Amino acid sequence: MSYIGRLYDPVLATDLYELTMAASYFREGKKGIATFSLHIRDYPPNRAYFVAAGLASFLEILGDFRFSGDAIDYLRSLGKFDEDFLSYLKSFRFTGSVRALPEGTIFFAQEPLVEITAPIIEGQILETIVMNTFHVETLIASKAARCVAAAGGRGLVDFSLRRTHGIDAGVKTARSSYLVGFLGTSNVLAGRLYGIPVFGTMAHSYITSFDREIDAFMAYARSFPENTVLLLDTYDTLKAAEKAVEVARYLENRGYRLRGVRLDSGDLVELSRRVKDIFVKNGMDYVSIMASGSLDEFALEELIKSGAHIDAVGIGTKLGVSADAPYLDLAYKLVEYEGKPILKLSPGKRTWVGRKQVYRYFDGRGQMSHDVLTLMEDKREGMPLLRDVVINGQILHNPTLDEARANFAEQFSSLPEEYRSIRPDVKYRVEIGEPLLRLEERVAREKLRDQLRG
């Protein structure tokens, strides 16, 4: 098997202790039905919401989650597992159920992103892959949504691949950003895998390979007359803009139009204004101005407030690594076993017991007003957010990327402006249903009493 094949064997993309716990469960005959709940404990700085993403990737993995002969041989070589357990793994199939937020759903701290109900070994073995898959895509989708909000309708393109933490992270960044409204990506692999529009023209190295900047511009225009976007800041941005006017005239004479120019450094506010003036003066107001270079929602907000004349933006490194908030405090916890609610009382890491549902309520204008987190059996009139996606091991429906993108657009339109802010000073109201609160308090009292008894 190739290195890539070994790297992406999902059954081995796990922490060892998931398998050692599973082996102990197996030896002890512990086969009861358990529910594990995935949620984010709290918000990173400057965050007021999250965007659910990663479900499609998880279901793709789950549908073919099998321990191959090579995987079994490797586990045997560790000398930690007996043959009975390895034989169990050979026939491993997920037989449980999954309830999840549809991709593109806006959700909040403490609300379950996913709940998995299955024999405890199955739920335990899935922990690491569940957390890894949902974490990276939800992290990036939430960051990208903030960029969309800051852009104020300007087109955004993902430029992150070269500095993401690996190829898979780059692909998932392209998908997650497109899900929340980016126009597309520079990532050709993501374009192929997900049908995302791909964008890209030239780098500084292309221009410096020619003796003259104008020669580079003309050569590119001859090769791609229908999609010419010129990079202006290799030498002198304003002089390059004058040369771009020459290219635009050349294209006009042949029935084409210069599509745009890109600014990648310098004072983007001043340069964008002056470049725009050059094109307007020459009757070429149609030429779009794109900005790139270490941009994110914070830089975008400042550029727009300062009056930059920018039509589109390439967002790269700071998106792909979610630079200002590079991780989410994501937790996957056992909340029910054999019908009994399970509670963890660790300081700062307490969990909500039992199988749950989240109901969403709206005001008279159709804007989100509040959510209620409660027990699954506590039926309410609000809109339930968690949906059945797997029942008895069978995947019901894996929505397409276009469906997820449409879901986000609808959800985002109903999120009040104060929560979309780049620096929000309010938190969305998530109430705890009375049945859940009573159960939580009762289980907590019982656990504390049991511990005092020794």
Side-chain angles (χ1 to χ4, degrees):
M1 184 184 292
S2 69
Y3 167 74
I4 294 296
R6 294 196 305 270
L7 181 64
Y8 289 100
D9 189 344
V11 295
L12 297 183
T14 188
D15 296 300
L16 180 62
Y17 80 168
E18 311 292 5
L19 294 171
T20 57
M21 286 188 286
S24 181
Y25 291 149
F26 181 81
R27 180 170 182 167
E28 298 298 319
K30 204 172 178 68
K31 301 176 181 178
I33 300 299
T35 295
F36 292 85
S37 187
L38 182 74
H39 68 280
I40 299 171
R41 291 189 179 105
D42 206 350
Y43 302 96
N46 296 312
R47 296 291 197 276
Y49 65 90
F50 305 105
V51 180
L55 179 60
S57 299
F58 171 65
L59 292 180
E60 183 178 356
I61 291 170
L62 188 65
D64 194 33
F65 199 83
R66 310 282 188 273
F67 285 83
S68 67
D70 287 342
I72 295 295
D73 288 344
Y74 171 70
L75 294 177
R76 182 180 290 112
S77 75
L78 298 178
K80 296 179 180 294
F81 305 108
D82 62 34
E83 287 300 320
D84 286 345
F85 179 64
L86 294 175
S87 293
Y88 164 78
L89 292 182
K90 286 180 184 178
S91 59
F92 182 92
R93 301 290 186 273
F94 181 73
T95 63
S97 299
V98 179
R99 298 162 59 246
L101 301 178
E103 287 197 293
T105 299
I106 290 173
F107 71 105
F108 304 95
Q110 297 296 321
E111 296 181 340
L113 178 56
V114 181
E115 288 201 337
I116 294 177
T117 299
I120 192 167
I121 296 179
E122 297 178 22
Q124 193 72 68
I125 285 176
L126 289 175
E127 176 177 5
T128 302
I129 200 71
V130 168
M131 292 188 67
N132 181 275
T133 302
F134 283 94
H135 179 268
V136 66
E137 296 191 49
T138 296
L139 175 74
I140 299 301
S142 302
K143 174 74 171 176
R146 289 164 54 80
C147 294
V148 170
R154 293 162 182 81
L156 302 181
V157 178
D158 159 47
F159 277 7
S160 68
L161 177 59
R162 287 177 291 174
R163 290 180 181 151
T164 56
H165 297 157
I167 293 172
D168 189 57
V171 167
K172 296 302 171 52
T173 296
R175 184 184 186 278
S176 297
S177 59
Y178 184 70
L179 188 157
V180 299
F182 274 45
L183 297 178
T185 180
S186 66
N187 186 332
V188 178
L189 178 57
R192 179 191 175 192
L193 291 173
Y194 302 120
I196 300 171
V198 291
F199 296 87
T201 54
M202 63 179 66
H204 294 103
S205 58
Y206 174 81
I207 295 171
T208 58
S209 73
F210 290 80
D211 290 336
R212 300 191 308 159
E213 188 173 46
I214 187 63
D215 293 339
F217 287 177
M218 285 296 188
Y220 198 90
R222 288 191 294 271
S223 295
F224 301 100
E226 295 180 347
N227 187 35
T228 301
V229 178
L230 303 174
L231 180 60
L232 297 187
D233 68 318
T234 304
Y235 303 114
D236 183 296
T237 298
L238 297 180
K239 289 181 180 178
E242 296 289 356
K243 295 168 189 174
V245 169
E246 293 182 45
V247 176
R249 289 200 183 101
Y250 166 84
L251 289 170
E252 285 179 348
N253 290 335
R254 285 154 182 78
Y256 301 101
R257 280 188 165 190
L258 177 63
R259 185 167 182 179
V261 295
R262 179 161 66 95
L263 308 177
D264 193 54
S265 62
D267 185 340
L268 295 179
V269 175
E270 179 67 14
L271 288 173
S272 66
R273 289 173 175 169
R274 295 182 68 181
V275 167
K276 187 64 178 180
D277 287 343
I278 289 171
F279 286 118
V280 170
K281 181 180 68 177
N282 286 278
M284 298 171 180
D285 188 55
Y286 60 82
V287 178
S288 294
I289 298 175
M290 184 179 198
S292 59
S294 298
L295 301 180
D296 63 2
E297 69 269 38
F298 299 105
L300 266 176
E301 183 180 60
E302 187 59 34
L303 284 173
I304 293 168
K305 282 183 178 178
S306 300
H309 203 302
I310 293 169
D311 304 296
V313 184
I315 308 290
T317 303
K318 291 183 179 181
L319 168 68
V321 300
S322 188
D324 69 305
Y327 72 94
L328 301 173
D329 192 5
L330 193 69
Y332 179 89
K333 298 301 177 186
L334 180 65
V335 295
E336 183 179 291
Y337 183 62
E338 293 187 326
K340 298 178 181 178
I342 301 296
L343 180 64
K344 178 179 178 180
L345 295 177
S346 305
K349 295 186 176 183
R350 188 167 172 170
T351 57
W352 290 104
V353 300
R355 305 183 200 187
K356 293 171 289 296
Q357 179 58 278
V358 180
Y359 288 92
R360 177 152 296 162
Y361 296 85
F362 300 86
D363 63 21
R365 298 174 296 119
Q367 297 287 286
M368 298 180 191
S369 65
H370 68 285
D371 289 1
V372 175
L373 172 63
T374 191
L375 293 173
M376 187 172 69
E377 59 266 26
D378 180 21
K379 305 299 183 184
R380 293 176 175 247
E381 294 182 354
M383 182 176 76
L385 299 187
L386 288 165
R387 311 282 179 81
D388 291 320
V389 293
V390 180
I391 294 180
N392 297 328
Q394 299 300 309
I395 296 173
L396 302 181
H397 176 56
N398 193 350
T400 66
L401 180 53
D402 284 342
E403 288 175 314
R405 186 174 159 94
N407 181 44
F408 171 77
E410 181 180 354
Q411 295 253 331
F412 201 60
S413 69
S414 67
L415 181 67
E417 287 290 340
E418 58 264 33
Y419 307 113
R420 300 189 206 181
S421 170
I422 302 308
R423 296 176 178 83
D425 56 9
V426 291
K427 295 290 177 66
Y428 184 82
R429 180 160 55 102
V430 178
E431 298 177 359
I432 307 303
E434 188 64 27
L436 174 57
L437 195 58
R438 288 198 304 269
L439 181 61
E440 181 91 0
E441 292 172 347
R442 177 176 67 78
V443 174
R445 287 195 303 271
E446 291 172 356
K447 285 291 181 185
L448 288 172
R449 183 185 63 220
D450 291 344
Q451 296 308 309
L452 290 173
R453 290 174 176 174

